[in-house]
Structure formats: C-alpha cells, structure tokens
Amino acid sequence: MTLDNLIGTQLEAVEPDRTGVERLLEAANRSLSDASLLDLSNEGRFDMAYKAVMQIANAALLANGYRTPTNRPGHHQTMIQSLPKTIGVDRDTMILLDGLRKQRNVIDYSGDTVSASMANEAFEQARLLMKQMREWLNINRKDWLR
C-alpha cells in the first residue's frame, strides 16, 4: 500500500512545503526542549514529548506532499502509522510510537498518572524520531537543510 491510497479518506495531497516543514521541526525542537525540563511534571514532560512526535510526523507527511485533515477522527494515528512510508521508520518503532498515542489518550481521558520512566521513554522516542527525520531530510532533501 502507498500513501496515495489514503488520499480522500485519511490524507490530502499538498505541495511539499519547505517553510512549513522547517516551522514544524522548530516547534518540535521547542517541545523537546520543554520535555527535557525535569522541573516539569511527568505528565507535562510526556505531553510535550508526544507533541514533538506529532509535529515531526506532521513534518514528515508535509515533506512528502501530504497532510491529514484534522477535522476527521484518527489523524494522530494516521500521522504515526505513515512514518514507515514517509521517512522509513521501522515497524517496531512505529508500533512503539503508536503505543505512546494510546497511552496519551488513556492518560488524558482517565487522569492516570505518568511515571518518570514513561516520561523519559516518550522523550527518548521523540528525540530519536527527530534524529531520523533530520537524517531523512539530509539524504532526500539536502537543499532543505540550512
């Protein structure tokens, strides 16, 4: 299956947008910076790390000429599950990132607490995803990097 198969249901085709990608990655860097603050609650750190994952996944789609319609349910899931096609994230990592999405939903809707190890894991996964996104851009979009 290709991402083109999802156009009209879960994705929209757009022009790849260097400025938009850079803006999303800058936002993800700010989110990662906030997620690294040990004075922040575990919940806050987890939320900021998850936000970074979403910003990176969104940038990956945009760099490939897609976006998710945010008015439809499941757009976070689509962004994460498209990572193997957009920047070559391996299946195990995608499953782990999707697990973070599911944990976030449980936490947000149940009020469950977040352990330090859970917050640390979310931060580490977001950091690694940013590294992979930068490597992908370096190989595929050399002219996009400053």
Side-chain angles (χ1 to χ4, degrees):
M1 173 162 65
T2 68
L3 293 178
D4 284 340
N5 294 0
L6 301 177
I7 292 175
T9 57
Q10 296 165 309
L11 292 176
E12 297 173 348
V14 296
E15 282 295 316
D17 177 9
R18 176 184 173 169
T19 302
V21 169
E22 288 175 349
R23 205 172 32 243
L24 283 164
L25 294 179
E26 288 167 5
N29 277 327
R30 289 189 302 273
S31 295
L32 276 170
S33 180
D34 288 349
S36 73
L37 298 173
L38 298 180
D39 289 343
L40 207 58
S41 69
N42 292 331
E43 287 80 6
R45 291 181 58 230
F46 182 92
D47 281 348
M48 294 311 296
Y50 177 77
K51 183 176 180 180
V53 167
M54 296 316 305
Q55 290 162 327
I56 297 162
N58 197 10
L61 276 170
L62 189 55
N64 282 277
Y66 301 96
R67 71 175 184 182
T68 58
T70 57
N71 62 344
R72 292 192 188 140
H75 63 278
H76 283 212
Q77 183 176 10
T78 300
M79 281 192 267
I80 289 172
Q81 291 181 356
S82 68
L83 285 165
K85 299 285 187 191
T86 56
I87 62 170
V89 168
D90 65 75
R91 185 173 174 1
D92 289 342
T93 300
M94 184 271 296
I95 290 169
L96 196 141
L97 293 171
D98 199 45
L100 292 177
R101 177 188 63 80
K102 292 173 184 174
Q103 284 178 318
R104 176 201 167 253
N105 287 345
V106 168
I107 292 162
D108 281 357
Y109 294 104
S110 71
D112 283 358
T113 59
V114 175
S115 67
S117 63
M118 191 184 303
N120 291 339
E121 178 66 17
F123 173 76
E124 183 61 14
Q125 290 304 317
R127 189 188 68 73
L128 290 171
L129 184 61
M130 177 63 86
K131 182 177 184 250
Q132 187 165 358
M133 177 68 186
R134 288 286 179 198
E135 289 169 355
W136 182 89
L137 283 171
N138 191 41
I139 293 166
N140 297 284
R141 308 280 190 201
K142 290 179 191 266
D143 60 318
W144 284 26
L145 295 177
R146 294 180 186 174

